Amino acid sequence: MIEYIIAGLTNVLNPFTLFLMVAGVLVGILMGSIPGMTATMTVAVLLSFTFTMDPGNGMMLLLGIYGGAVYSGSIPAILIRTPGTPSAAATIFDGYPLSQKGEAGRAIRISTVASFIGGVISVIGLMFFSPLIADAALQFRSPEFFALALFGLTIIASVSGDSLPKGMISGLLGMLVATVGIDPLTGFQRFTFGVPELLTGVQFIAVMIGLFGIAEGMKAYSSGIDDEGKKVDQDIDGILPSLSDLKAIGPVSTASGIAGVLIGSIPGAGGDIAAFITYNEATRWIKDAVPSFGEGNVRGIAAAESGNNASTGGALIPTLTLGIPGDSVSAILIGALMVHDVQPGPALYQEETTLLYTIFVGFLLIYVLILVFGLLGAHYWVRLINIRESLLWPAILVLCVIGAVALRGNLFDAWVMLGAGALGYVLRLRGYPLAPMVLGLILAPIAETNLRRSLSLSGGSFDIFYTSPIALVIILLSVATIAVPAVRSLSSRSSA
Amino acid sequence: MTDDSISASAGDSQASTYGGSVNRRNVLKALGGTGLVATAGCTGQLSGGSNQEWPSRQVEVVSPWSAGGGADRTSRAVADAGESNTDVSWNVSNQTGGSGSVGMSAVANAEPTGHTLGCTAPEICLYQHLGIADLGPDDITPIMQYTQMPAAIVVRENSDYTTVDEFLSYAKNNKVQMANSGIGSSWHMAGAAWAYEAGIDVQHVAYPGAAPAITATVNGEADCATVGAVEVASQVRDGPLTALGVMYDEQLESLPNTPTMQSQGIDIVIGSWLAHFAPPDLPDDVKQSIVETYNTVYESESFKTFMENNNFMRVKRGPDELQKFLDERYKYYGQLVEKLNIQA
């Protein structure tokens, strides 16, 4: 393993790769600081820049954006009570009260250090545990992969926000779109209408660019872009957090980091869920909080920020070992790798070890960069919130079209992207979450081919699913994932 | 970064064509893959003039599969060598989709000036039989085949059958599950052809690519897999696989302990290959110039080194030979698809 780490380090430590990491982190911090610009959107829109890079370099740029945006989402959460990315929503609880007391600088420094701790824990977890999981997954056959994809699909229940039915409709739409193309098992053409571009199916990256770029842009424009509303004038001084603050947040950051990795590694559960859970757990475990949680406790910020950044490395665990995305950003990362003919899954750990360790070492370095830039630049980053959105959106919309066309040199994909954008806009207007659609799009083919392959291997008998202990356990977990919230809502209704 | 330099040069030449400013050139360079797209769109419009001279401007080679795969990497090696042997720049673009038919159709429908060339593979002999696209060997001008990828049947190392004879006697009494890297792919066809020649009945199981097909063979979900022999050489030498035999007419150097299928009594030579082609109706003098350049490219040291370092066999078929080969394969695959009753 040491030799792989050294090989990864040599790959990372060259000027162009370092430049890409710095660029990624800075772009990520910039976009994350602006409410409405999410990590998912930024990664989707800038993906096309990586098509001509080698896969390792491309991943450095995208992971830099990912880590940077998930970190900097906390800055507007602290300053103007609006999370820059959904993952930073839990940071508001204690971040904004501190800012009101005039201690925004202290809150941002805490958030930076906690993000760093969470991020580093997650990358270490990724580096040491993912090879073990990949090794075990080599024994996975079609029934196990079907069960995993089914589990991922049931997570829609948890990512769908307020309304489970709306989440499921969105997820089913994604699954429907995924059926277009040549049937992977019989070669029959489905919904291709004689269009050759559709034979290999709808390009899911084009759909994601549309959903997260165009749809968000249309929503921003239709609700009116307000460049004046959110001025920040609080000055941030100082660079390093105080020793007493560091001592206070050390244990809670570490614990939240570990929890964040575990939550992030559940397919479909991303930084927002991780941060809410780690924040909630911190308030349950820490009884002696002064000031109490919700009134500006630094440990509250640390719990949320360590949790959401820890979910980034955690999300990469199922993504790289099983090819099943941990969250919506890692879904795009799968696409980024597939553009280079690199198929995430257990075989990756046998064939592409250098690439993997480049990713691990690079992601670690990215968190170091986030710590350095986050502490040194805090008084600049707060000004980013004042950037006029009216200047950013046109650029994003142009990048959406460029990204879709560059995907495989075909204008057709731009129309797919625009269509997805229009659909996403309508869905957003009616309060349908878009993340389940992405999960459906990516998991449906995995679920379908493995289900049908299992049945063809077993001669049509469903025994194959419950005679495999691993598949059985995962299927039972999936059932529980759906049943528990349903039972809970029924019982709360009857008691009310 | 070789990939980037090629596409960046596409951006460069385009900006200078229009007398673009330094600023614009940088933008195009920065857009990388995007520059390719713009160039691809322009080639058609620029070809109005006379076409006696080849090459008179940039040559574009279309890889119908994605960056990083065999077709893409070898096409880039050909383009690199082509650029050093001509006065113009050579640029590779990836136009993927439709099992490769989208990119190949784009070339087949391009102006026949020789400035748009494409990469092709056995799939071009399959599209019409599988109903994927109305594109066949008659719709292109073959230039040169430059590599061959013989198929091999692999099983897991500790299985009960490690020779063709053992495998066949097992298959006579059991339903054998044969993994392939995709329905209707050249590897699926090779496996089916082999089973037919060997006189056994197998169940074909499709996986999304060679890696999952091999994983399924190693963990026991499938009994065997049909894959590219050279691609799995290292996994056979010191890994979890045993190769039963190679479907080729010569002993492979990379698999010194694996005999050919022919030497084990199954007379079959099949697999995949890669070739470059031009649009139909290419003027004869242009075709002659292209073929001469390709001969130089094929013999160039840089191309030889690339092929050797990346484990591609150098196997050549010139235009006439390739045309005959394509026609013969087209008929062969037609019969095979009928026998297998693959629907598409």
Side-chain angles (χ1 to χ4, degrees):
Chain A
M1 185 166 175
I2 296 294
E3 72 268 22
Y4 293 133
I5 294 179
I6 292 171
L9 202 59
T10 3
N11 275 357
V12 168
L13 292 179
N14 83 64
F16 184 64
T17 312
L18 285 173
F19 163 76
L20 288 172
M21 293 199 294
V22 172
V25 168
L26 291 180
V27 170
I29 291 179
L30 165 71
M31 299 297 271
S33 308
I34 303 170
M37 314 270 165
T38 62
T40 314
M41 185 197 78
T42 314
V43 170
V45 164
L46 295 180
L47 180 64
S48 62
F49 286 88
T50 67
F51 292 165
T52 53
M53 299 174 189
D54 79 56
N57 280 341
M59 290 301 277
M60 289 305 104
L61 179 71
L62 299 177
L63 289 174
I65 296 171
Y66 186 20
V70 171
Y71 149 67
S72 73
S74 65
I75 297 174
I78 291 167
L79 286 165
I80 56 170
R81 211 165 171 263
T82 310
T85 58
S87 332
T91 311
I92 294 176
F93 302 140
D94 281 290
Y96 187 62
L98 263 183
S99 168
Q100 280 178 310
K101 292 178 197 164
E103 292 189 78
R106 180 171 166 226
I108 292 175
R109 286 192 288 275
I110 294 293
S111 140
T112 310
V113 174
S115 294
F116 170 73
I117 295 174
V120 167
I121 290 174
S122 80
V123 180
I124 291 173
L126 173 68
M127 197 180 309
F128 286 94
F129 290 111
S130 73
L132 303 178
I133 294 172
D135 213 38
L138 277 176
Q139 297 310 312
F140 281 17
R141 301 182 182 187
S142 302
E144 286 84 6
F145 273 106
F146 164 69
L148 275 172
L150 183 73
F151 180 64
L153 286 168
T154 57
I155 297 288
I156 286 174
S158 72
V159 293
S160 50
D162 310 335
S163 159
L164 180 61
K166 283 183 176 173
M168 289 177 84
I169 289 170
S170 171
L172 286 169
L173 272 175
M175 292 176 78
L176 183 68
V177 172
T179 57
V180 175
I182 295 179
D183 179 325
L185 291 175
T186 63
F188 189 80
Q189 295 184 21
R190 302 190 294 205
F191 308 118
T192 53
F193 305 109
V195 180
E197 284 87 351
L198 285 178
L199 284 178
T200 36
V202 172
Q203 296 290 301
F204 79 84
I205 293 182
V207 174
M208 290 189 73
I209 296 174
L211 288 181
F212 294 107
I214 296 287
E216 292 300 318
M218 285 167 76
K219 195 158 179 293
Y221 276 109
S222 67
S223 57
I225 289 178
D226 175 18
D227 280 337
E228 305 304 320
K230 35 168 209 220
K231 283 276 175 265
V232 174
D233 35 26
Q234 191 166 153
D235 269 326
I236 309 294
D237 42 12
I239 289 176
L240 293 175
S242 71
L243 208 57
S244 59
D245 273 352
L246 285 183
K247 267 190 196 149
I249 64 163
V252 72
S253 304
T254 312
S256 301
I258 294 168
V261 179
L262 294 175
I263 299 161
S265 66
I266 300 171
D272 43 350
I273 295 170
F276 270 113
I277 294 179
T278 52
Y279 180 81
N280 201 24
E281 289 305 301
T283 59
R284 262 175 9 111
W285 285 76
I286 302 172
K287 301 289 181 202
D288 57 340
V290 180
S292 57
F293 284 108
E295 291 174 10
N297 191 305
V298 288
R299 286 191 277 185
I301 302 176
E305 279 303 300
S306 173
N308 65 28
N309 274 94
S311 80
T312 59
L316 289 185
I317 295 177
T319 309
L320 295 173
T321 57
L322 305 168
I324 291 178
D327 64 0
S328 45
V329 174
S330 47
I332 308 177
L333 296 181
I334 290 183
L337 288 172
M338 281 167 58
V339 164
H340 291 286
D341 232 19
V342 177
Q343 176 77 48
L348 195 66
Y349 282 74
Q350 312 223 297
E351 289 166 8
E352 300 277 359
T353 36
T354 321
L355 172 64
L356 280 172
Y357 280 85
T358 305
I359 291 174
F360 299 160
V361 175
F363 208 13
L364 203 58
L365 205 53
I366 281 166
Y367 272 107
V368 175
L369 289 173
I370 289 172
L371 179 69
V372 173
F373 288 130
L375 291 177
L376 288 181
H379 51 291
Y380 299 114
W381 309 142
V382 298
R383 297 281 170 256
L384 294 176
I385 300 173
N386 296 340
I387 285 185
R388 293 165 59 184
E389 273 186 58
S390 55
L391 297 178
L392 276 174
W393 279 115
I396 290 169
L397 298 184
V398 169
L399 282 173
C400 286
V401 178
I402 289 175
V405 177
L407 201 51
R408 47 177 188 171
N410 203 317
L411 199 59
F412 180 81
D413 295 323
W415 293 111
V416 168
M417 185 275 300
L418 286 174
L423 176 66
Y425 173 65
V426 174
L427 290 177
R428 289 279 271 125
L429 280 187
R430 291 275 158 219
Y432 288 86
L434 299 182
M437 192 160 165
V438 173
L439 276 181
L441 197 56
I442 291 185
L443 292 176
I446 302 177
E448 186 206 340
T449 50
N450 284 294
L451 171 66
R452 289 174 56 201
R453 194 186 298 125
S454 302
L455 288 176
S456 98
L457 287 166
S458 71
S461 157
F462 281 90
D463 296 355
I464 193 165
F465 295 106
Y466 55 79
T467 49
S468 150
I470 300 173
L472 183 64
V473 168
I474 303 172
I475 289 173
L476 289 177
L477 268 178
S478 316
V479 173
T481 312
I482 293 186
V484 168
V487 170
R488 201 176 285 159
S489 80
L490 277 181
S491 64
S492 71
R493 204 172 295 170
S494 61
S495 67
Chain B
M1 278 315 298
T2 48
D3 289 10
D4 198 39
S5 63
I6 293 171
S7 57
S9 79
D12 272 351
S13 65
Q14 211 220 337
S16 52
T17 308
Y18 294 104
S21 64
V22 175
N23 206 4
R24 171 157 180 188
R25 184 177 308 166
N26 287 345
V27 169
L28 276 171
K29 217 175 214 174
L31 292 179
T34 315
L36 289 181
V37 175
T39 319
C42 288
T43 15
Q45 298 158 13
L46 294 172
S47 58
S50 79
N51 53 11
Q52 290 95 20
E53 284 295 311
W54 183 91
S56 55
R57 55 183 172 82
Q58 175 182 292
V59 175
E60 188 193 7
V61 181
V62 176
S63 160
W65 286 286
S66 58
D72 172 76
R73 284 157 64 215
T74 54
S75 292
R76 286 180 195 279
V78 169
D80 282 342
E83 196 161 276
S84 5
N85 286 295
T86 52
D87 301 330
V88 299
S89 65
W90 288 51
N91 164 39
V92 175
S93 68
N94 303 89
Q95 295 182 38
T96 63
S99 308
S101 66
V102 169
M104 289 183 212
S105 297
V107 177
N109 293 318
E111 294 257 4
T113 63
H115 294 97
T116 308
L117 304 173
C119 184
T120 188
E123 278 73 10
I124 195 161
C125 307
L126 274 160
Y127 295 140
Q128 286 172 342
H129 303 309
L130 296 175
I132 287 176
D134 193 15
L135 180 73
D138 291 343
D139 302 313
I140 62 169
T141 305
I143 300 294
M144 180 189 284
Q145 177 192 334
Y146 53 82
T147 190
Q148 182 96 35
M149 300 148 170
I153 303 275
V154 293
V155 297
R156 64 187 163 281
E157 202 169 33
N158 301 318
S159 61
D160 302 337
Y161 31 82
T162 50
T163 65
V164 169
D165 283 340
E166 286 170 8
F167 185 80
L168 291 182
S169 61
Y170 174 80
K172 295 256 153 70
N173 304 313
N174 299 277
K175 181 89 174 170
V176 172
Q177 279 143 352
M178 180 184 271
N180 64 57
S181 54
I183 185 94
S185 68
S186 42
W187 307 114
H188 175 201
M189 292 297 144
W194 180 81
Y196 182 79
E197 290 293 334
I200 56 168
D201 198 18
V202 301
Q203 183 186 3
H204 295 281
V205 189
Y207 290 85
I214 290 169
T215 305
T217 308
V218 172
N219 74 26
E221 176 164 297
D223 297 304
C224 63
T226 318
V227 286
V230 180
E231 283 173 61
V232 294
S234 68
Q235 281 161 289
V236 170
R237 275 198 306 267
D238 40 44
L241 293 175
T242 296
L244 297 182
V246 179
M247 303 179 206
Y248 200 50
D249 50 8
E250 284 171 37
Q251 177 66 42
L252 286 196
E253 282 172 33
S254 49
L255 285 172
N257 298 321
T258 308
T260 62
M261 285 295 179
Q262 283 181 332
S263 70
Q264 300 182 77
I266 301 175
D267 188 9
I268 185 169
V269 175
I270 196 170
S272 190
W273 43 263
L274 292 168
H276 279 188
F277 70 99
D281 304 321
L282 190 69
D284 280 342
D285 52 338
V286 174
K287 180 177 170 184
Q288 197 56 41
S289 314
I290 298 177
V291 170
E292 274 165 26
T293 304
Y294 266 77
N295 283 332
T296 323
V297 164
Y298 186 79
E299 295 301 335
S300 70
E301 280 309 314
S302 70
F303 185 69
K304 278 184 185 167
T305 319
F306 168 84
M307 296 295 272
E308 201 168 307
N309 291 346
N310 292 281
N311 292 320
F312 289 107
M313 296 164 67
R314 264 172 83 253
V315 175
K316 179 177 157 184
R317 278 192 176 94
D320 302 328
E321 215 184 334
L322 181 54
Q323 181 78 63
K324 255 186 240 137
F325 177 65
L326 288 174
D327 292 341
E328 180 269 315
R329 284 284 106 174
Y330 182 82
K331 286 198 196 88
Y332 181 84
Y333 281 126
Q335 291 161 357
L336 200 57
V337 168
E338 206 166 307
K339 267 179 226 154
L340 288 169
N341 193 23
I342 305 174
Q343 43 175 176

